[in-house]
């Protein structure tokens, strides 16, 4: 059903979707890689398209910046449109010296300083992790292409302009990069996969129509908080291509 944020009709969106933060990147990706792209959304300029890639029906849509924004769009994609595979393609800052600008970072897990998981009433700390299936496919693709990449934990933060360099504490816990969306994406996917909306939170019996929902975050390292380096817009564009090819490889296999 159309929502206040997405005017697509049921069936307009493919089971597999690529999710850049920037809606213009979604448009560019659809124009560059898709055969016969059809736009399904433009509310708030959050462009979304469905098309064919190597004969496979795939969608792409912007998510906006931050966990509230990606939280809304991906919740609707899963629960209103039946999307099963959600692959975020974004940029991140490196917080580990070994992670270099232009490399691909694949988020095995996401930590956060947000209270997104507060809604689940967990009496502890939830570790948000990627779908192993999608992660494995992305690693194999990056290997096959010979792209430099790292796999590990990231920090999804609520705060871009910080008073203090809080990333250093997360770097000491092994986080490799920082961005602002993936924790919420992983939460939405796993929650849908293991506790469908409307199910009794106290029941131990999984009643679940969305059991096969999977998510992964893949990033191009656009800057380094360790060294202070940043990519130029042109470098960014070229390097993003590697990440998109990995994401498209994964999407075309599903
Ligand atoms: N912080 C948060 N998100 C980001 C950054 C950063 O330094 N770089 C790219 N996305």
């Amino acid at each position: 059903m159309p929502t206040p944020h997405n005017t697509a009709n049921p069936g307009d969106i493919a089971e597999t979707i690529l999710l850049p933060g920037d809606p213009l990147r979604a448009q560019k990706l659809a124009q560059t890689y898709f055969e016969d792209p059809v736009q399904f959304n433009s509310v708030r300029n959050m462009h979304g398209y469905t098309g064919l890639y190597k004969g496979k029906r795939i969608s792409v849509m912007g998510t906006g910046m931050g966990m509230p924004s990606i939280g809304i769009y991906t919740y609707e994609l899963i629960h209103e449109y039946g999307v099963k595979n959600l692959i975020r393609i974004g940029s991140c800052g490196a917080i580990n010296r070994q992670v270099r600008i232009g490399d691909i970072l694949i988020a095995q897990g996401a930590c956060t300083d947000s209270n997104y998981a507060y809604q689940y009433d967990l009496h502890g700390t939830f570790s948000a992790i990627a779908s192993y299936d999608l992660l494995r496919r992305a690693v194999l693709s990056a290997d096959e292409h010979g792209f430099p990449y790292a796999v590990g934990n990231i920090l999804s933060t609520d705060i871009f302009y910080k008073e203090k360099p809080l990333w250093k504490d997360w770097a000491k816990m092994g986080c490799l990069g920082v961005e602002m969306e993936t924790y919420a994406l992983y939460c939405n996917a796993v929650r849908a996969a293991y506790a469908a909306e409307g199910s009794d939170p106290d029941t131990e019996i999984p009643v679940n129509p969305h059991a096969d929902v999977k998510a992964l975050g893949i990033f191009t390292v656009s800057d380094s908080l360790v060294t202070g380096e940043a990519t130029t817009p042109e470098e960014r564009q070229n390097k993003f291509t590697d990440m998109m090819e990995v994401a498209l490889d994964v999407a075309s296999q599903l």
Side-chain angles (χ1 to χ4, degrees):
M1 286 293 279
T3 76
H5 320 102
N6 193 336
T7 51
N9 288 306
D12 287 352
I13 307 179
E15 282 199 351
T16 298
I17 194 163
L18 305 183
L19 300 165
D22 178 356
L24 290 183
R25 186 157 295 125
Q27 187 180 56
K28 180 90 192 292
L29 191 147
Q31 287 165 353
T32 309
Y33 295 99
F34 285 2
E35 251 173 73
D36 306 325
V38 175
Q39 184 158 7
F40 62 75
N41 190 50
S42 62
V43 178
R44 291 176 184 249
N45 284 327
M46 201 54 81
H47 306 300
Y49 302 82
T50 299
L52 291 178
Y53 176 77
K54 295 189 175 168
K56 178 94 189 171
R57 197 163 168 266
I58 297 173
S59 295
V60 61
M61 182 181 171
T63 63
M65 291 183 286
M67 285 174 268
S69 187
I70 196 171
I72 291 169
Y73 291 113
T74 58
Y75 187 95
E76 293 177 353
L77 288 168
I78 295 166
H79 293 271
E80 298 294 331
Y81 295 103
V83 174
K84 301 294 185 199
N85 306 301
L86 301 98
I87 304 171
R88 165 160 155 70
I89 45 174
S91 65
C92 74
I95 59 173
N96 177 294
R97 204 170 278 283
Q98 264 77 54
V99 178
R100 310 215 173 267
I101 288 192
D103 287 2
I104 293 173
L105 183 52
I106 302 172
Q108 185 179 10
C111 304
T112 197
D113 54 20
S114 110
N115 71 350
Y116 195 83
Y118 182 75
Q119 61 179 313
Y120 308 123
D121 201 19
L122 303 165
H123 297 260
T125 307
F126 173 65
S127 300
I129 59 168
S131 148
Y132 180 69
D133 181 37
L134 301 191
L135 178 83
R136 187 177 58 87
R137 290 175 194 275
V139 170
L140 287 173
S141 166
D143 265 334
E144 270 168 27
H145 285 284
F147 297 147
Y149 67 92
V151 181
N153 223 340
I154 59 153
L155 170 65
S156 298
T157 184
D158 267 346
I159 309 154
F160 187 87
Y161 295 110
K162 292 182 167 65
E163 293 280 324
K164 294 178 187 161
L166 300 174
W167 62 269
K168 290 183 181 174
D169 295 323
W170 294 98
K172 289 181 198 162
M173 295 304 288
C175 290
L176 303 177
V178 56
E179 52 84 79
M180 305 185 74
E181 291 81 16
T182 299
Y183 187 87
L185 169 65
Y186 287 1
C187 282
N188 277 357
V190 78
R191 187 64 170 187
Y194 289 89
E197 192 183 13
S199 67
D200 180 353
D202 293 325
T203 183
E204 288 182 355
I205 304 159
V207 178
N208 182 16
H210 305 295
D212 41 1
V213 176
K214 298 175 184 173
L216 177 67
I218 312 176
F219 314 96
T220 303
V221 178
S222 60
D223 51 280
S224 172
L225 282 73
V226 182
T227 64
E229 298 164 273
T231 29
T232 62
E234 299 86 66
E235 284 169 334
R236 239 177 234 225
Q237 200 52 53
N238 293 337
K239 284 299 184 180
F240 272 129
T241 314
D242 293 359
M243 171 188 64
M244 287 196 202
E245 284 181 14
V246 169
L248 284 162
D249 265 355
V250 176
S252 68
Q253 296 165 15
L254 303 171

